Amino acid sequence: MSVSRRKFLGWLGAAGMGTAFGTSANAASNKHFTGYPDSMGILHDISLCVGCRSCEAACNKVNELPPPEKPFDDKSVLDKKRRTTASVHTVVNKYDNAEGTKGPVFVKTQCNHCLEPACASACFVKAFAKTKEGPVSYDPSVCVGCRYCMVACPFNIPTYEYDSAFSPRVMKCTMCHSRIIQGRLPGCVESCPKEALTFGKREDLLRIARERIRKHPERYVDHIYGEHEMGGTSWLYLSNTSFASIGMREDLGTTAAPNLTAGALGAVPLVVGLWPVLLTGVYAMSKRKEKIAKEEEAQAVGDAVAATKAEGEEKLSAALAKAGKDKDSAIKREVKKALEEAAKAQKEEAAEAKTEEDA
């Protein structure tokens, strides 16, 4: 059986986490988890999407993300395939040559919020967790930046804030968890003008999808993407073309990621279990290096300020000494001049007095 490097690293990471800490990785077991009862999800009917990018604009606003380089009504960005980034949690891509279609097909991409998330199973600090509402949440306060989640994700979704020097985070769609627990719709669903996105209980969404396929077999592929892929996802898709022709993986199988890693636990050498410890140590060392570098920088600045201050004081003392000497010289010159003038006046008076006596 051939195993890709990406899948192997994902298995290795999740297996190592459990071995290192004496407990299994979050959600890693041989029992298939079918999801929390009444958990929510979103159904994306690709056949209804017109590529308006309203969902992108809503996501940007709800999550208070940086403004895009081009406005959301600029459709030229659809000419190039895009992926999510640290500042873009969802993207719409256009496919002009999708199988069995006459016009372009538009597909919204974001975190699929797996029922048994590969990111959570690979995270040894449990920064990721599947919530009972459906979204996969992320806690940046415990994240150590190992980025195993990025390697493990079969959908290539999590991204990293590489340009954030002090507190980088792993970024992805949150399915608007904070809005859901308030009884509100996710931003993208609320903004979709064509109702290509439907929010509701996952089981209800599956029934809706099956009914659409039953009523319009000529329109839809008989496959609900996300119902079983990688053990199932909270984000579901209906399509009027094959999923492979619109860039969606059909080679994932139906086994959840934690179940795949659980079988590798006994085969991985014990040294792999020390990887998380090593990563944590490296992380701590890098933080210490940063601290030492900052202290050395502060010391260097302090030394420079002290040297500059000392040099300034030395120059001031020299200037004052020179001024004092100049002042003494000026006083001596004035005294000498005064004495010379007094002696001259005395001589003149004596000469005048002698002249008067002679007369």
Side-chain angles (χ1 to χ4, degrees):
M1 178 182 69
S2 63
V3 179
S4 67
R5 177 177 178 272
R6 183 183 183 85
K7 182 177 290 187
F8 175 73
L9 289 175
W11 290 358
L12 214 55
M17 305 316 171
T19 308
F21 289 88
T23 60
S24 61
N26 188 24
S29 70
N30 287 316
K31 183 179 179 181
H32 176 55
F33 176 62
T34 57
Y36 289 104
D38 299 326
S39 68
M40 311 303 284
I42 297 175
L43 173 63
H44 176 29
D45 191 332
I46 294 171
S47 70
L48 299 178
C49 184
V50 295
C52 66
R53 301 182 67 205
S54 295
C55 55
E56 290 188 34
C59 179
N60 180 275
K61 181 178 180 181
V62 168
N63 292 285
E64 299 180 348
L65 300 172
E69 294 182 3
K70 295 183 179 181
F72 290 108
D73 58 1
D74 186 344
K75 303 299 177 60
S76 65
V77 298
L78 298 175
D79 294 333
K80 183 179 180 180
K81 186 178 179 181
R82 298 173 296 152
R83 63 154 295 180
T84 57
T85 67
S87 60
V88 180
H89 292 180
T90 186
V91 296
V92 175
N93 283 311
K94 181 176 69 170
Y95 296 86
D96 291 315
N97 301 311
E99 181 181 320
T101 60
K102 295 180 180 179
V105 175
F106 301 96
V107 183
K108 180 182 182 300
T109 301
Q110 71 298 303
C111 174
N112 285 326
H113 300 275
C114 303
L115 299 185
E116 295 188 80
C119 56
S121 70
C123 182
F124 63 93
V125 295
K126 297 187 178 181
F128 290 92
K130 180 69 173 180
T131 65
K132 64 180 181 179
E133 293 82 14
V136 174
S137 66
Y138 166 68
D139 183 358
S141 67
V142 299
C143 180
V144 296
C146 70
R147 285 158 282 176
Y148 265 111
C149 54
M150 296 173 63
V151 176
C153 178
F155 301 107
N156 195 30
I157 291 298
T159 56
Y160 195 65
E161 290 183 316
Y162 290 101
D163 57 348
S164 179
F166 299 104
S167 56
R169 299 166 294 172
V170 174
M171 303 297 284
K172 71 175 190 66
C173 158
T174 64
M175 210 168 100
C176 291
H177 187 211
S178 60
R179 291 169 64 94
I180 291 176
I181 60 179
Q182 295 173 3
R184 303 171 66 189
L185 290 173
C188 57
V189 177
E190 188 176 65
S191 67
C192 183
K194 297 297 182 178
E195 298 184 355
L197 303 174
T198 304
F199 176 78
K201 292 182 180 180
R202 185 175 185 271
E203 290 303 316
D204 292 339
L205 296 177
L206 288 171
R207 282 193 288 269
I208 292 172
R210 293 190 190 103
E211 184 62 16
R212 290 185 187 180
I213 293 173
R214 188 190 68 80
K215 285 186 175 181
H216 305 284
E218 77 287 351
R219 176 190 297 179
Y220 297 107
V221 174
D222 189 9
H223 179 188
I224 305 172
Y225 194 97
E227 181 177 12
H228 301 297
E229 275 75 11
M230 294 301 295
T233 63
S234 292
W235 203 284
L236 306 168
Y237 298 83
L238 272 180
S239 177
N240 55 341
T241 184
S242 68
F243 290 103
S245 67
I246 51 177
M248 299 178 71
R249 294 183 62 181
E250 293 188 320
D251 62 339
L252 298 174
T254 60
T255 304
N259 292 351
L260 295 174
T261 59
L265 287 175
V268 180
L270 179 62
V271 67
V272 175
L274 300 177
W275 281 18
V277 179
L278 176 61
L279 287 172
T280 305
V282 171
Y283 178 78
M285 289 172 62
S286 66
K287 287 295 184 182
R288 177 164 177 76
K289 285 182 179 179
E290 290 177 5
K291 181 180 179 181
I292 293 174
K294 289 180 181 179
E295 291 176 351
E296 290 178 346
E297 181 181 358
Q299 182 64 42
V301 171
D303 292 344
V305 170
T308 301
K309 183 177 179 181
E311 183 179 355
E313 291 178 349
E314 184 178 346
K315 288 183 178 180
L316 178 61
S317 297
L320 290 174
K322 184 175 184 300
K325 290 181 180 179
D326 292 343
K327 182 178 180 181
D328 290 342
S329 298
I331 291 173
K332 288 179 180 179
R333 285 196 300 271
E334 292 300 323
V335 170
K336 182 179 179 181
K337 182 178 179 181
L339 291 173
E340 289 176 350
E341 289 178 351
K344 182 179 179 181
Q346 187 176 8
K347 287 181 180 180
E348 290 177 351
E349 289 178 358
E352 289 177 0
K354 185 177 179 180
T355 302
E356 290 177 355
E357 289 177 0
D358 292 342

